[in-house]
């Protein structure tokens, strides 16, 4: 059976999956999470978990989609029916958390849009426009909401017209330019006097810096950055052709995504140590550090503009996959009673309302603080570090126990990739034992820490 695919490009399936994984999680979230968690030892933990647990989960989700040819809600309903266990609850939770993540992601994408506009204006009006612009954005929650809303409206227009392929073409066009920008930045960053300090911070594993919360934080970030635990990979997997090999795709996604995150950290940390070391634990790190640096360099305005356009296209692509997943789940669930346009509107309005919370976090809600952190940081912490690992585990448990070993084996082994023979047993073992053990240990340590 073949499912009508809307995410196919001539670059093949990998790039679609990589495109959905690569986004603000790598460039914006990773550096500050590393800063927050003390550097080298956390980076090491993250790399290990991404390769071992993250890639195994990506493979399992893709496989569920490929076998069922459905998005996550319907796919989990199917496995519930066949196994007579309530796995559909995992599907519902995925949709629920996707809704929140889409809203929160829209606000951060709005920040990117803000700098894109600032650089565009600066191209014509000169660099003075920048003075105080970041502070202005942070003090103005309604502006953040407005920018997030513009982002969501763009996403709604694209998804409503089914024009994702247009964005994919854009992505194929801007990503090489983005890669060149980032490599140029990497070269510059690594020539700064603060480089040795930054490298030491990032790669010297001082295990005493790990905290009780680090394991769960690392797992949460791994799932977020690889787009697992929300069912996005199930939807992507549902468009795989018979001959596409989910394990190869999963491994490549995890590798490419991890490498890009490390490069982003290598760009950001030397700059941060040079400019304002105090900012390294802040969720605003990227936006506080990069724009002033661009401005201080000759030709930096053009460079900054290109950088933020590329980052925005990546963020847009991720938002499209999140939004598309919500819409297709809703349309599938209504079995013919809801047309796509109404679904796009309904989902869009819900997202716009939820986005008010993170958007207003830095001003109207700035007194609402918990554990010394504001609303946006707490949303990030609660949904990504606490809830995402649990949902991911639940979903994977459902997949692992609903199929026989023979079914999983049939989808895992491939005559073209002989490594698949070697990797089959470790993969099953990781899904069944290693991942649940580490996730539960992460929760236990975190709770123990709170007591
Ligand atoms: N992986 C994306 C990023 O790194 C974020 C994302 C999370 C996308 C969950 C889809 C699902 O930016």
């Amino acid at each position: 059976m073949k499912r009508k695919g809307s995410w196919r490009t001539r670059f093949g399936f990998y790039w679609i999956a990589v495109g959905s994984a690569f986004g603000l999680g790598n460039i914006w979230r990773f550096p500050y999470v590393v800063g927050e968690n003390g550097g080298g030892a956390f980076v090491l933990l993250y790399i290990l978990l991404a390769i071992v647990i993250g890639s195994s989960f990506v493979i399992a989700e893709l496989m569920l989609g490929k076998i069922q040819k459905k998005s996550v809600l319907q796919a989990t309903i199917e496995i519930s029916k066949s196994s007579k266990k309530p796995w559909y609850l995992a599907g519902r939770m995925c949709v629920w958390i996707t809704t929140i993540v889409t809203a929160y992601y829209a606000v951060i994408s709005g920040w990117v849009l803000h700098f894109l506009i600032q650089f565009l204006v600066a191209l014509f009006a000169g660099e003075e426009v920048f003075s105080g612009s970041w502070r202005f954005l942070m003090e103005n929650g309604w502006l953040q909401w407005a920018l997030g809303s513009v982002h969501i409206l763009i996403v709604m227009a694209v998804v409503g017209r089914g024009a994702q392929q247009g964005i994919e073409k854009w992505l194929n066009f801007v990503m090489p330019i983005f890669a060149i920008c980032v490599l140029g930045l990497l070269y510059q960053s690594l020539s700064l006097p603060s480089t040795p300090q930054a490298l030491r911070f990032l790669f010297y594993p001082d295990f005493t810096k790990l905290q009780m919360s680090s394991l769960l934080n690392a797992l949460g970030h791994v799932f977020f950055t690889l787009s697992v635990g929300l069912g996005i990979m199930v939807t992507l997997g549902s468009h795989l052709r018979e001959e596409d090999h989910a394990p190869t795709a999963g491994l490549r996604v995890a590798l490419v995504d991890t490498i890009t995150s490390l490069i982003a950290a290598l760009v950001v940390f030397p700059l941060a140590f040079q400019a304002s070391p105090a900012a390294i634990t802040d969720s605003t790190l990227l936006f506080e550090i990069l724009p002033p640096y661009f401005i201080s360099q000759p030709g930096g305005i053009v460079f900054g503009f290109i950088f933020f356009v590329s980052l925005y296209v990546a963020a847009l692509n991720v938002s499209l996959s999140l939004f598309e997943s919500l819409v297709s789940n809703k349309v599938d669930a209504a079995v013919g009673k809801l047309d796509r346009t109404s679904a796009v509107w309904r989902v869009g309005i819900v997202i716009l309302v939820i986005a008010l919370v993170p958007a207003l976090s830095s001003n109207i809600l700035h007194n609402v603080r918990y554990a010394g952190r504001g609303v946006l940081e707490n949303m990030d912490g609660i949904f990504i570090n606490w809830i995402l690992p649990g949902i991911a585990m639940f979903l994977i448990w459902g997949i692992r126990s609903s199929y026989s070993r023979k079914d999983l084996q049939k989808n895992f082994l491939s005559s073209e990739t002989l490594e698949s023979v070697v990797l089959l047993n470790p993969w099953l073992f990781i899904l069944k034992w290693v991942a649940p053990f580490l996730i539960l240990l992460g929760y236990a340590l975190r709770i123990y820490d709170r007591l």
Side-chain angles (χ1 to χ4, degrees):
M1 190 177 33
K2 201 162 177 189
R3 182 173 154 108
K4 197 170 142 275
S6 55
W7 287 95
R8 185 156 295 287
T9 67
R10 68 203 152 87
F11 282 88
F13 171 75
Y14 305 126
W15 297 114
I16 301 163
V18 169
S20 147
F22 172 76
L24 297 172
N26 307 68
I27 308 283
W28 158 71
R29 197 174 188 273
F30 182 67
Y32 101 79
V33 172
V34 168
E36 230 180 9
N37 286 277
F42 183 83
V43 171
L44 198 65
L45 184 66
Y46 160 80
I47 297 176
L48 274 174
L49 293 175
I51 304 299
V52 177
I53 314 276
S55 63
S56 304
F57 278 25
V58 177
I59 296 170
E61 277 198 29
L62 288 173
M63 218 175 252
L64 173 66
K66 188 176 172 195
I67 298 174
Q68 296 294 343
K69 304 269 179 278
K70 291 195 170 82
S71 42
V72 69
L73 205 53
Q74 295 305 309
T76 48
I77 290 177
E78 291 300 325
I79 58 172
S80 286
K81 280 190 204 145
S82 56
S83 65
K84 307 218 168 23
K85 298 227 172 68
W87 302 121
Y88 66 90
L89 288 176
R92 279 204 201 150
M93 287 179 193
C94 284
V95 173
W96 178 70
I97 192 169
T98 303
T99 313
I100 310 248
V101 167
T102 312
Y104 151 89
Y105 208 85
V107 174
I108 317 293
S109 305
W111 295 359
V112 177
L113 207 50
H114 172 76
F115 280 106
L116 192 165
I117 298 168
Q118 296 285 308
F119 276 104
L120 183 65
V121 174
L123 276 177
F124 299 102
E127 62 186 63
E128 301 76 51
V129 289
F130 268 93
S131 59
S133 88
W134 172 243
R135 267 242 320 276
F136 179 70
L137 179 69
M138 281 300 105
E139 282 166 5
N140 198 336
W142 291 108
L143 177 62
Q144 293 182 49
W145 187 68
L147 288 164
S149 303
V150 170
H151 177 73
I152 288 298
L153 289 173
I154 297 175
V155 171
M156 286 167 68
V158 176
V159 174
R161 286 158 168 240
Q164 285 89 328
Q165 270 149 359
I167 301 291
E168 280 171 45
K169 286 208 189 98
W170 257 90
L171 198 72
N172 293 333
F173 172 70
V174 300
M175 274 311 124
I177 302 179
F178 195 38
I180 294 170
C181 277
V182 172
L183 291 180
L185 274 176
L186 183 66
Y187 176 74
Q188 294 235 357
S189 260
L190 294 182
S191 337
L192 291 171
S194 54
T195 300
Q197 194 188 356
L199 289 181
R200 198 182 149 79
F201 179 74
L202 276 175
F203 297 115
Y204 174 74
D206 175 357
F207 291 99
T208 58
K209 292 234 179 86
L210 284 183
Q211 298 141 18
M212 292 284 195
S213 53
S214 300
L215 179 59
L216 203 58
N217 291 352
L219 284 163
H221 185 74
V222 163
F223 297 145
F224 181 77
T225 189
L226 292 179
S227 310
V228 291
L230 293 92
I232 305 291
M233 289 293 164
V234 179
T235 309
L236 291 182
S238 73
H239 297 293
L240 280 177
R241 292 164 303 180
E242 235 14 84
E243 62 270 30
D244 291 324
H245 188 229
T248 313
L251 272 174
R252 291 200 185 166
V253 171
L255 271 177
V256 174
D257 193 82
T258 308
I259 293 170
T260 51
S261 290
L262 291 174
I263 294 178
L266 278 172
V267 168
V268 171
F269 279 99
L271 288 169
F273 278 112
Q274 193 80 16
S276 68
I280 62 169
T281 61
D282 232 331
S283 63
T284 55
L285 173 63
L286 179 85
F287 300 98
E288 267 184 80
I289 297 295
L290 280 190
Y293 177 71
F294 289 151
I295 296 296
S296 70
Q297 298 296 308
I301 298 184
V302 179
F303 194 89
F305 177 66
I306 298 174
F307 180 88
F308 277 99
V309 169
S310 315
L311 187 56
Y312 184 70
V313 174
L316 186 59
N317 189 49
V318 170
S319 295
L320 286 171
S321 67
L322 287 162
F323 201 90
E324 168 69 39
S325 154
L326 289 172
V327 169
S328 54
N329 273 304
K330 210 161 175 55
V331 171
D332 284 359
V335 269
K337 289 198 210 90
L338 186 69
D339 63 278
R340 241 185 112 74
T341 316
S342 326
V344 166
W345 275 105
R346 285 190 200 184
V347 172
I349 289 169
V350 173
I351 303 286
L352 289 178
V353 174
I354 301 178
L356 277 168
V357 179
L360 299 179
S361 141
S362 63
N363 67 333
I364 295 183
L365 302 176
H366 86 276
N367 284 328
V368 185
R369 299 186 78 80
Y370 173 70
R373 307 162 97 217
V375 175
L376 189 132
E377 281 89 6
N378 274 312
M379 252 182 107
D380 180 287
I382 293 172
F383 286 98
I384 299 176
N385 298 341
W386 276 96
I387 301 184
L388 190 54
I391 299 184
M393 184 173 73
F394 189 27
L395 178 65
I396 299 299
W397 184 19
I399 300 173
R400 171 72 183 74
S401 60
S402 301
Y403 293 107
S404 66
R405 188 191 153 95
K406 229 162 116 207
D407 283 335
L408 293 173
Q409 183 172 328
K410 196 173 100 216
N411 281 283
F412 196 95
L413 296 181
S414 144
S415 52
E416 279 164 37
T417 20
L418 289 176
E419 311 86 90
S420 60
V421 181
V422 182
L423 292 176
L424 173 69
N425 281 330
W427 177 64
L428 291 171
F429 185 73
I430 291 165
L431 292 189
K432 189 165 183 188
W433 299 108
V434 183
F437 171 75
L438 287 177
I439 295 175
L440 292 176
L441 180 67
Y443 278 121
L445 292 174
R446 189 73 200 247
I447 292 167
Y448 178 75
D449 193 34
R450 285 279 157 102
L451 295 180

